[in-house]
């Protein structure tokens, strides 16, 4: 039981490049989430999903896209990377009322 | 914005109880109180949650006042490994109830430093 797995752990992007942050969970959780955390700050919700085929915006969705084709996977897409997207990205999953299980994060730098 | 107020930092001696306060004076009747912690740069870790009754698990105890406007997370015997940022969050049970209100909204939390 691996929990929530995020890849890659680190990435450096040039301005304007695109990339997909991968997130997969093996707990059969219906809810999944993407957060970003800037240095010294709390986590901000980017997108969330209540089940396969359903996604919705969080607090800071601009510049990102998501999809949820399966229960297990919830990839986050950056189309045109900008320096403001330099951050640590966390994926999480949960049942409806349970605590969230977080992944170990992806540290992204845009230069 | 986060609906909770926490002190920015606290110290605790190793082996003593750590009592972390949280104010949530605008909490609604269907909102739970959740506690998470984040050690260094790791992903946040779920600790405990409750609605109105006090709760206890293997990690901590959660004491919620009768009017539900504040709560205290208690780590009974703090160790150096409990040094972390602790987040108190209120939310409805799930995104199914009230849409985005069911999501976790993180504030800045309390940085707990456990000292030898």
């Amino acid at each position: 039981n691996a929990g929530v797995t995020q890849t890659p752990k680190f990435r450096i992007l040039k301005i304007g490049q695109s990339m997909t942050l991968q997130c997969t969970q093996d707990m059969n959780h219906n809810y999944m989430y993407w957060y970003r955390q800037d240095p010294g700050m709390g986590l901000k919700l980017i997108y969330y999903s209540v089940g396969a085929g359903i996604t919705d915006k969080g607090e800071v969705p601009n510049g990102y896209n998501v999809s949820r084709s399966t229960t297990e996977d919830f990839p986050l897409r950056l189309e045109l990377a900008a320096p403001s997207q330099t951050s640590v990205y966390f994926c999480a999953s949960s049942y409806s009322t349970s605590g969230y299980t977080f992944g170990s994060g992806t540290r992204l730098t845009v230069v | 914005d986060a609906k909770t107020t926490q002190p920015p930092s606290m110290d605790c001696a190793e082996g003593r109880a750590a009592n972390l306060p949280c104010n949530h004076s605008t909490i609604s009747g269907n909102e739970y109180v959740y506690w998470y912690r984040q050690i260094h740069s790791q992903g946040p870790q779920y600790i405990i949650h409750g609605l109105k009754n006090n709760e206890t698990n293997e990690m901590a105890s959660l004491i919620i006042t009768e009017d539900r406007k504040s709560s205290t997370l208690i780590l009974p015997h703090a160790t150096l490994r409990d040094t972390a940022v602790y987040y108190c969050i209120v939310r409805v049970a799930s995104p199914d109830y009230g849409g985005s209100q069911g999501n976790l909204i993180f504030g800045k939390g309390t940085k707990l430093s456990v000292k030898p």
Side-chain angles (χ1 to χ4, degrees):
Chain A
N1 192 334
V4 177
T5 302
Q6 291 184 238
T7 56
K9 293 191 183 302
F10 303 93
R11 183 73 186 268
I12 298 175
L13 277 182
K14 294 185 177 180
I15 295 171
Q17 286 185 321
S18 62
M19 77 165 293
T20 299
L21 283 67
Q22 301 291 345
C23 175
T24 187
Q25 52 95 6
D26 62 359
M27 298 170 286
N28 202 33
H29 284 167
N30 43 351
Y31 301 119
M32 295 189 74
Y33 315 83
W34 274 105
Y35 287 86
R36 61 176 285 175
Q37 185 174 31
D38 298 333
M41 305 296 288
L43 283 75
K44 297 287 188 183
L45 181 65
I46 306 172
Y47 271 96
Y48 67 98
S49 169
V50 301
I54 306 170
T55 63
D56 211 341
K57 297 177 180 179
E59 303 169 84
V60 290
N62 292 342
Y64 307 95
N65 282 298
V66 293
S67 60
R68 184 94 182 271
S69 57
T70 67
T71 299
E72 296 77 20
D73 300 307
F74 191 40
L76 178 71
R77 178 83 178 164
L78 283 71
E79 291 293 350
L80 290 171
S84 61
Q85 294 177 305
T86 293
S87 192
V88 180
Y89 292 83
F90 291 102
C91 179
S93 70
S94 75
Y95 290 121
S96 60
T97 59
S98 70
Y100 290 18
T101 300
F102 282 83
S104 57
T106 295
R107 191 174 298 273
L108 176 67
T109 302
V110 182
V111 296
Chain B
D1 290 337
K3 298 174 64 175
T4 62
T5 303
Q6 298 178 253
S9 64
M10 291 182 61
D11 291 340
C12 178
E14 187 178 19
R16 303 297 293 270
N19 297 283
L20 290 88
C22 180
N23 287 320
H24 31 80
S25 57
T26 60
I27 193 169
S28 301
N30 63 346
E31 288 183 314
Y32 288 71
V33 180
Y34 284 77
W35 282 86
Y36 285 77
R37 72 181 183 183
Q38 189 173 25
I39 297 173
H40 194 44
S41 300
Q42 299 176 21
Q45 176 188 23
Y46 165 79
I47 301 173
I48 199 167
H49 76 283
L51 183 62
K52 55 182 179 181
N53 297 320
N54 297 337
E55 302 287 345
T56 296
N57 62 21
E58 64 278 5
M59 289 182 67
S61 295
L62 173 61
I63 308 298
I64 303 175
T65 58
E66 193 168 341
D67 63 7
R68 301 208 325 122
K69 293 185 177 182
S70 66
S71 61
T72 301
L73 178 75
I74 302 172
L75 307 178
H77 304 287
T79 71
L80 299 179
R81 285 181 291 184
D82 292 321
T83 292
V85 177
Y86 287 77
Y87 297 98
C88 169
I89 303 167
V90 298
R91 59 168 276 206
V92 296
S94 80
D96 291 339
Y97 300 90
S100 62
Q101 294 177 44
N103 298 314
L104 288 178
I105 306 297
F106 286 80
K108 293 188 177 181
T110 296
K111 181 171 175 53
L112 176 68
S113 298
V114 180
K115 300 182 183 300

